Amino acid sequence: MTKHYLSMLDMDPETARAVLDRALEMKRTRHRSRLLDGKIIALLFEKASTRTRLSFEVAVRHLGGEALFLSSRETQLGRNEPVRDFARVVSRYLDGLVVRTYAQQTLDELVAFATIPVVNALSDQFHPCQTLSDLLTVYERRPDLENLVIAWVGDGNNMANSWMNAAALFPFTLRMATPHGFEPSADVLARSQRLGAKIELGNDPVAAVTGAHFVNTDVWVSMGQDDPEGAKRSAFEPFQVNDTLMAHAAEGAMFMHCLPAHRSEEVTEAVFESNISIVWDQAENRLHTQKAILEWIFTQD
């Protein structure tokens, strides 16, 4: 059966923990293999990228495969070729697709018609590879994950949705604070809670951060969005992660950001460049987690 990774819930809790353990082992051993020997994995990107593209290209090479980058502008998708037609054609050339797209619907249609694995490298609804690698960064420091509080402060975006999914797989408490009108998906929240996620959702950043062991945020205006009048930035100003907000967190709390960051917007320079910031470990861990995800996908059960 072909494996896909479109959201974190494509793994069960046992599998997700095993992939984290494997990613940590790969990091410690600087893992290389020939698992993907003879295989070509295409990276189809509608959005520009630094960490996602580099980490996946290097991951494929570390596993012995070949990565082929495709911009949607350079394919017939950019000229409105139906996604289903694209999926059926490239399935005859390639061994896997890593897709960074605007619409989750694009991924769903690719999976419906492709006969090769499809990995969500980012969509408007989810960012599972980023969130799993961020969890690796937490896991390195707190391997029990029990009695752990992770705060999300800012936009209820694709990252927020994926963190809610993560809370359904791992036993930490997720406290979320977003401005009114910018809450994460109610459907994703409800499903994660049905699966046992411990999520506290509100509109007060101080309440979310108080006692938290990790404080996580993202940009206020994501790629492809517009805020010409600055209305969104104005609504988000009380949600900036700064020294005052971090003072409410638990002793030894760490700051997280998936990058790229807009300094002086969602986070101050002082916090971002401080010794409590673990953003560079997060960025590095994209590589190790990507390798573990690819190994999970291409290893036969």
Side-chain angles (χ1 to χ4, degrees):
M1 181 178 178
T2 303
K3 293 179 187 173
H4 305 288
Y5 191 52
L6 303 192
S7 83
M8 296 195 71
L9 297 183
D10 285 328
M11 296 179 184
D12 59 30
E14 182 179 357
T15 299
R17 180 71 69 117
V19 170
L20 275 191
D21 284 330
R22 183 60 174 149
L24 187 56
E25 181 183 5
M26 286 175 158
K27 181 176 183 178
R28 289 170 175 166
T29 62
R30 302 177 64 85
H31 179 80
R32 305 290 191 278
S33 79
R34 304 304 303 172
L35 175 70
L36 299 182
D37 189 24
K39 289 183 168 55
I40 299 175
I41 311 300
L43 279 60
L44 175 66
F45 281 34
E46 292 180 341
K47 287 187 171 185
S49 168
T50 301
R51 283 153 295 279
T52 301
R53 177 177 176 177
L54 284 173
S55 59
F56 264 111
E57 286 197 5
V58 174
V60 170
R61 285 171 170 79
H62 280 186
L63 298 180
E66 182 176 346
L68 177 66
F69 182 77
L70 296 174
S71 166
S72 62
R73 296 187 301 274
E74 298 167 349
T75 71
Q76 294 297 336
L77 285 176
R79 299 175 182 173
N80 297 319
E81 180 180 22
V83 172
R84 63 185 63 189
D85 294 358
F86 174 87
R88 287 178 286 199
V89 169
V90 300
S91 291
R92 301 190 179 210
Y93 302 150
L94 303 169
D95 300 286
L97 267 176
V98 175
V99 183
R100 184 175 169 93
T101 183
Y102 288 97
Q104 186 75 20
Q105 181 181 350
T106 300
L107 287 159
D108 294 339
E109 191 167 359
L110 283 169
V111 166
F113 290 92
T115 57
I116 55 177
V118 177
V119 177
N120 180 2
L122 178 142
S123 71
D124 59 348
Q125 191 169 7
F126 297 115
H127 202 351
C129 296
Q130 175 72 59
T131 307
L132 194 61
S133 69
D134 290 349
L135 267 171
L136 176 62
T137 313
V138 172
Y139 192 53
E140 290 177 297
R141 292 159 173 82
R142 293 286 298 264
D144 57 349
L145 298 181
E146 297 276 1
N147 303 314
L148 186 69
V149 177
I150 299 176
W152 176 268
V153 179
D155 196 11
N157 59 11
N158 52 1
M159 283 296 299
N161 288 338
S162 287
W163 271 105
M164 291 193 296
N165 281 346
L169 299 176
F170 297 94
F172 62 87
T173 295
L174 178 63
R175 290 207 204 118
M176 312 185 79
T178 68
H180 289 285
F182 295 96
E183 291 82 3
S185 166
D187 290 340
V188 175
L189 172 63
R191 183 183 182 192
S192 295
Q193 289 178 325
R194 285 197 303 271
L195 293 172
K198 296 178 288 187
I199 301 172
E200 302 170 13
L201 178 60
N203 306 107
D204 182 354
V206 172
V209 167
T210 297
H213 304 96
F214 295 87
V215 177
N216 203 349
T217 193
D218 194 4
V219 295
W220 293 342
V221 182
S222 298
M223 187 185 307
Q225 296 179 346
D226 294 317
D227 186 32
E229 306 299 325
K232 188 173 185 181
R233 287 179 174 85
S234 178
F236 276 75
E237 283 178 3
F239 292 79
Q240 182 187 72
V241 180
N242 49 39
D243 289 331
T244 301
L245 186 62
M246 288 299 301
H248 294 278
E251 183 177 356
M254 299 281 104
F255 169 74
M256 303 179 70
H257 195 302
C258 59
L259 303 180
H262 295 167
R263 292 167 169 87
S264 300
E265 286 192 9
E266 72 272 9
V267 59
T268 60
E269 181 84 8
V271 170
F272 188 83
E273 293 290 354
S274 71
N275 60 6
I276 68 169
S277 174
I278 54 176
V279 299
W280 311 120
D281 289 339
Q282 289 176 255
E284 177 189 346
N285 283 342
R286 293 295 303 278
L287 170 62
H288 311 300
T289 308
Q290 253 78 288
K291 284 196 286 190
I293 291 170
L294 289 170
E295 186 181 77
W296 168 69
I297 286 172
F298 285 96
T299 298
Q300 297 298 317
D301 293 331

